[in-house]
Amino acid sequence: MATVTGPPATVTTVDLQTASVRDLNAALHTTVGGMAWHVAHPDGAHNLAVGIDADLDVVIDGHAGYYCAGMNQHATVTVNGNVGVGVAENMMSGTVRVRGNASQSAGATAHGGLLVIEGDASARCGISMKGVDIVVGGSVGHMSAFMGQAGRLVVCGDAGDALGDSLYEARIYVKGTVKSLGADCVEKPLRDEHLAELSELLKAAGIDEDPAAFRRYGSARDLYHFKVDNSSAY
Amino acid sequence: MCGIAGLQVRDPSLEPRLGELLTGMLHQAAERGPDSAGVALYGDARLTPPGHAAVSLLSPGLPAEEIAARVGGGADAVVAGQSVVVRSLVTVAELERAVRDAFPEAIVTGRGSDLAVLKGVGHPDTLAEEFALGRASGRQGIVHTRMATESAVTPEGAHPFSVAEDLCLVHNGSFANHATIRRELRAAGVVFDSENDSEVGARFVAAQLAQGYDLEKSLRLLCERFDGFYTLLVTTGDTFAVVRDAIACKPAVIAETDAWVAMASEYRCLAGLPGIESARIFEPEPEEVYTWQR
C-alpha cells in the first residue's frame, strides 16, 4: 500500500485512523529534516501536513481535504489521491504533487516552490499567486491566476472563463483552449526564453509535453494604475 | 459551511444499496455540519410502499399507532427519530390534508408518491442510526448536514426543504436577499414554515414549477433572482439537478458513471462509491444548471 521510497527504517508512518491531524502536524513540525513520512488513511481530512518548515518527504496515501500542505517550506509532499480547496496555499518553497484532481484555489497566494497537479484543477487555480510555479496536467476552471502577481502557471489542458483576470506579472502557459481571458490578460508571443522556461517547468513536473504546443498569456498592464477610462474594467 | 451529498442510481441493482451508500456519504459530510441533518429518499419501499401516498412531518411526539389513528382513513405511520412518515392509499393531496387536519401545528416536511424526508437536530451519524438510513433503498437520495448561520438550530431549519410534491432542495451557502423574496412570495399567498433562507429558495422553485416551468428553467430563474452564495442540489421524482452561484465559491464536485451520478460538497463524500476510480469527476461551472433524469 505504501508508496514511500527509500530505506524503510527512515519512514515514519502516521495512521489517521488512530492518530489525529493535530498529532500528525505536530510531529511534522518537530521532526528533523531529511526524514520520510507516510500518512495512511487520510480519508479526506482537512489541514494535512500544513506548516512544514523542514526538508521532509511526506506521502499522503489517499484523498486529502482543504488546505493540504498549506504554507509549506522545503518539504516535498505527495498526495496519492484528490485534494480539496486550497492545496499548497501560501506555499513558500518545496514541492507539492497531487496525483489526482484539485478543488478550487489550488496554490492560492503561494510565494514559491512547485505545485504539480497531475489531474484537473478547478476554479481560481493560482489565485493571487506570488511566485509559485504551478503545473497542471489537465484543465483549470474559471478565474485561474486571478490577480496573479508573480510565478508561472502551466496548463496542459484547457482553461475556463476569465483566465488571468486582473493579472499583474505572473506568466501563464496553456496548451489547450482558453474559454475567455479576464480583464487585462492578453496573449503574448512565445519567444525562445519562454520555450526554455516552459521546458524546465514541464521537466520539473515530470510531464511530457511539447513546449511549442503552448500559448503564452500575460498582463497587458493597463490596470496597473487607475485610469478613469478603465473604470468599467475595475 | 454545510455539507451536501446526493446520489441518483441508474443501475437498478444498486437500488438496495442506496441507504448504505448515503450513510457513508453523510458520515463524510458530518464535519461540515454537525448541528443537524436530513435525508430525502425516493423509492424506499420500507418508508413509502408502492401505490401509497406519503407525507413526512416533524414528529408530534406520539407513537406511530396514535399518529395513524388520528390521521385516519386507513393510514399508517413510521416514526424515524424526530420525523414521521405517514402513508395511505389515497392521493397525496388528500393525505396531506388529513395530516394537517389531524395535526394543525405539525410541520409537514415532505409529500409525494414515493418521497420520504427525515430530518432532525443532532450529530449526522446519530441521526443516520435514528433514520435506519443504512437499510434504506431507492432510486435516488440526498443528504445534508447543517452548520446553521441564517436561522436557529431546529428540526424545521434542517434541510432538505421539500415544499411541493416530490420536490427537494438542499443548500450550502446563504442567500442575501431572501427576506425580500420571502416578502414577495408571502404577498402572493405562499406560507412559510421557518425563517430559513434556504426555504425561500425551495418555495421560489416550487412557485416556478407550479407555473409550468421545468426544473432547469426554474433554477435559471432562481439564479436571476437570488443574490448570495449557493450550491444547490434539487431533486424531483425523476430529476437530479445541481446549480451554483455566479462566483461558485461554495464547493461542489460531481461524479458520474454508467451506474450512478453523485454530487457532494467534498470529494471525500464520493470516495466510497462503487466504481469511483473510473468516474467522470468535475466541479460544476458557475450559474450552469446540470440535470440528470431517470
Side-chain angles (χ1 to χ4, degrees), chain B residues 55-71 76-86 98-109 117 119 155-156:
Chain B
V55 170
S56 307
L57 63 154
L58 295 180
S59 172
L62 298 170
E65 303 75 38
E66 194 167 339
I67 294 168
R70 284 212 201 173
V71 172
D76 73 349
V78 177
V79 174
Q82 298 153 61
S83 292
V84 179
V85 184
V86 180
V99 167
R100 289 189 185 278
D101 285 348
F103 299 100
E105 303 298 316
I107 290 177
V108 172
T109 54
V117 176
K119 52 190 180 180
E156 59 266 36

Side-chain angles (χ1 to χ4, degrees), chain B:
Chain B
M1 196 181 256
C2 287
I4 295 175
L7 178 65
Q8 184 187 66
V9 170
R10 293 167 170 167
D11 175 357
S13 72
L14 276 177
E15 290 186 8
R17 293 185 60 198
L18 180 75
E20 168 209 331
L21 297 171
L22 286 174
T23 301
M25 296 166 88
L26 180 67
H27 172 71
Q28 290 293 342
E31 284 177 11
R32 298 186 63 87
D35 66 40
S36 45
V39 307
L41 294 165
Y42 290 86
D44 179 13
R46 209 177 37 124
L47 289 169
T48 53
H52 289 63
V55 170
S56 307
L57 63 154
L58 295 180
S59 172
L62 298 170
E65 303 75 38
E66 194 167 339
I67 294 168
R70 284 212 201 173
V71 172
D76 73 349
V78 177
V79 174
Q82 298 153 61
S83 292
V84 179
V85 184
V86 180
R87 304 89 57 90
S88 184
L89 284 164
V90 294
T91 67
V92 173
E94 285 166 348
L95 181 59
E96 182 174 358
R97 202 155 44 239
V99 167
R100 289 189 185 278
D101 285 348
F103 299 100
E105 303 298 316
I107 290 177
V108 172
T109 54
R111 76 285 286 150
S113 51
D114 67 352
L115 167 66
V117 176
L118 309 174
K119 52 190 180 180
V121 170
H123 191 276
D125 288 342
T126 309
L127 294 170
E129 282 181 32
E130 287 180 17
F131 301 155
L133 183 60
R135 295 202 296 279
S137 58
R139 68 182 181 285
Q140 72 181 7
I142 57 184
V143 300
H144 184 274
T145 60
R146 180 168 184 238
M147 186 174 285
T149 56
E150 298 292 306
S151 60
V153 179
T154 57
E156 59 266 36
H159 300 218
F161 284 99
S162 176
V163 300
E165 196 169 326
D166 291 332
L167 172 69
C168 269
L169 174 146
V170 290
H171 175 203
N172 174 201
S174 56
F175 292 126
N177 59 342
H178 63 98
T180 308
I181 298 169
R182 185 188 290 108
R183 204 157 45 235
E184 290 168 6
L185 289 170
R186 274 188 175 140
V190 174
V191 177
F192 284 78
D193 291 328
S194 74
E195 290 303 307
N196 186 289
D197 62 320
S198 309
E199 187 188 350
V200 183
R203 299 274 175 200
F204 179 89
V205 172
Q208 308 315 311
L209 291 170
Q211 286 194 29
Y213 295 122
D214 64 11
L215 185 57
E216 185 174 344
K217 173 71 174 172
S218 301
L219 291 174
R220 285 192 203 294
L221 292 167
L222 181 143
C223 290
E224 284 177 22
R225 191 68 188 83
F226 281 72
D227 294 331
F229 299 125
Y230 52 90
T231 288
L232 299 173
L233 173 58
V234 187
T235 47
T236 63
D238 63 357
T239 307
F240 185 91
V242 176
V243 67
R244 301 169 88 184
D245 65 73
I247 306 290
C249 81
K250 292 296 174 185
V253 55
I254 291 171
E256 195 176 8
T257 70
D258 290 342
W260 47 262
V261 58
M263 175 269 174
S265 298
E266 295 180 39
Y267 178 77
R268 61 191 291 188
C269 300
L270 308 175
L273 293 175
I276 186 71
E277 309 76 27
S278 52
R280 176 181 167 242
I281 296 167
F282 63 99
E283 297 201 0
E285 297 285 321
E287 288 196 330
E288 187 160 327
V289 179
Y290 297 81
T291 61
W292 293 264
Q293 285 202 301
R294 111 148 238 198

Side-chain angles (χ1 to χ4, degrees), chain A residues 124-149:
Chain A
R124 293 176 279 271
C125 177
I127 181 172
S128 197
M129 54 196 283
K130 294 178 168 70
V132 67
D133 290 324
I134 304 174
V135 181
V136 181
S139 298
V140 296
H142 67 273
M143 296 204 89
S144 287
F146 176 50
M147 293 187 79
Q149 292 142 56

Side-chain angles (χ1 to χ4, degrees), chain A residues 29-41:
Chain A
H29 295 168
T30 50
T31 188
V32 294
M35 297 287 286
W37 290 74
H38 174 248
V39 181
H41 300 108

Side-chain angles (χ1 to χ4, degrees), chain A residues 163-217:
Chain A
L163 176 71
D165 192 276
S166 305
L167 197 65
Y168 291 80
E169 282 304 314
R171 290 194 288 287
I172 305 172
Y173 299 95
V174 182
K175 185 181 173 203
T177 59
V178 173
K179 199 168 173 193
S180 67
L181 292 173
D184 213 31
C185 183
V186 293
E187 185 174 349
K188 294 183 167 183
L190 193 70
R191 295 192 298 266
D192 287 346
E193 69 264 35
H194 304 117
L195 284 168
E197 79 167 0
L198 187 49
S199 280
E200 274 178 34
L201 287 164
L202 290 165
K203 191 175 162 203
I207 290 177
D208 184 20
E209 293 280 1
D210 174 13
F214 286 73
R215 290 165 176 255
R216 179 170 76 100
Y217 303 88

